[in-house]
Amino acid sequence: MRQTNLESRNKVFLGSFVHSKVLDELEYLHQTAVFVDKSGTIVAIEKDCDESKARETVLPRLGWAEADVEVVKAKEGQFFFPGFIDTHIHAPQYPNAGIFGSSTLLQWLKTYTFPMEASLSEAAKARRVYTRVIRKTLSHGTTCAAYYATIDVSSTNLLADLCMGFGQRALIGRVCMDSELSPDYYRDASPEASIAATKATIAHIRSIDPAFSLIRPVITPRFAPACTLPLLRQLGALAEETALPVQTHISENKPEIALVQELFPRSLTGAADGSYAAVYDAAGLLKPRTVLAHAVHLTEGEADLVAARGAKVSHCPCSNSALTSGAAPVRRLLLDRGIVCGLGTDVSGGYSASVLEAARQAALVSRHVAFGPGGQERDKLGVEEVLFLATRGGAEAVGLGDKVGGFEVGMEWDAQLIGLGAIREDGEEEEVDDEEGGGGGAGNVDVFGWESWPERVAKWVYAGDDRNTIKVWVKGRLVHQRK
Ligand code: GUN
Ligand code: FE
């Protein structure tokens, strides 16, 4: 297994930096220098600082030898942006991205998802798929992903090893599912077997990354209908005992919600009411460290409960549209309830491994919410807001809000260098990576030069893709470079 080698040199990043301050505000820092030490931590941010000032005044202050420093400059028009956080992605489903026909959730799971996931118990296939999904997500600027793997322990552990090797920050969840909703060929034999398998993955991750500095385990009941109540309760107890994060699905689609009500009546759970959220709450799974994917159809009471417990939401707009699940009223969850939300690609319910695509779809779906029944103008998410969800919101959702998601002293350097294309004065499109380029990126997003910085960022959100992602770093280490 390849180890994550800490980069041997300190780094100085120079140029323009864009990041979220608060939900609806981006900060633009130009002519700025960010100093990242060998451990990948930001130790200084200097405004009005060019390379010579950085060398002459800041390096001595930091006690860094010139020879020990790598300087990375953003060209004119390029900008550093925090790495994206994918708060919900199923690594083993990656080969199915785009393949869902006109199915909806429960039928989709049986037809496409369970067979693919089960087939990844074959080590060679798992290695192939997991290698590709990590490379692909890194190339889209995803520096941290909350992965669901499968029920198979060894291939789940392999996913952790591969993330470590490629240097992608990750939460790795061995999927727990022991109920009869799951097919015979893909089901935990008992709650005890499911717990033992979960502990085996936790132990493996502890053995490769004892401090969970890059990779951490996440307790992963697939969703209530795939689990028996004893399993949900034991996973709740394990979460309490280990203080590890939890991830699961909630209220994605209406037949799923009806199924939960049928499978988990109050007489069984002892919950305060018969709602989906109350089932998780009764099992001890609704905690501040819990990430709930979808939350499309939460009732008012459930939204109150989720907020009261401090649980987080992963908004998965691509998936919710693709599987006809619905349109989650995310801005209301954010503003009316104060629920922390991030974005999830939900590959392969979602067709794209790109968080930028999820951000764009979040903006569009919010417009559908706004013009739908009961919708309001205030349901619409702006560019600043979807980028907040993709970075700071996601980081907070997965428990890393103090480490990543923005550029601040003390945070780690998880970042991407973005370049947009440009049109020259003579009307010709610039070459990609043109030395004198206005953006130095790909011409898929044309910048004419008169746009303000907020306008450039809006163009990136609505028309950009991985062609604009030039370089990607995690914890100071270069993990992707566009060819
Ligand atoms: N609910 C239970 N399992 C899944 C899954 O794999 N994807 C989605 N989108 N929803 C689920
Ligand atoms: Fe999912």
Side-chain angles (χ1 to χ4, degrees), residues 30 53 64 100 168 243 255 289 298 321 364 369 372 376 390 408 421 462 482:
H30 303 293
K53 184 173 170 197
W64 290 0
F100 54 92
Q168 186 174 50
R289 287 187 308 274
L298 293 182
S321 296
L364 294 179
V369 174
Q376 296 173 11
E408 283 170 31
Y462 282 110
R482 189 169 173 271

Side-chain angles (χ1 to χ4, degrees), residues 37 51 107 122 124 144-145 223 259 367 375 385 406 433 443 455 459:
D37 73 9
E51 184 171 354
Q107 177 208 355
E122 189 201 310
C144 176
F223 69 153
L259 184 59
R367 282 157 174 73
E385 292 170 322
D433 286 334
E455 287 171 342
K459 283 186 161 193

Side-chain angles (χ1 to χ4, degrees), residues 88 90 93 105 108-109 113-114 117 222-223 249 252 256 294 319 323 346 349:
H88 185 83
H90 299 262
Q93 297 174 19
L105 179 64
W108 169 80
L109 284 171
T113 309
F114 294 155
E117 288 192 17
R222 178 169 212 122
F223 69 153
H249 298 84
E252 179 174 357
E256 170 212 15
H294 302 285
S319 172
L323 297 183
D346 194 25

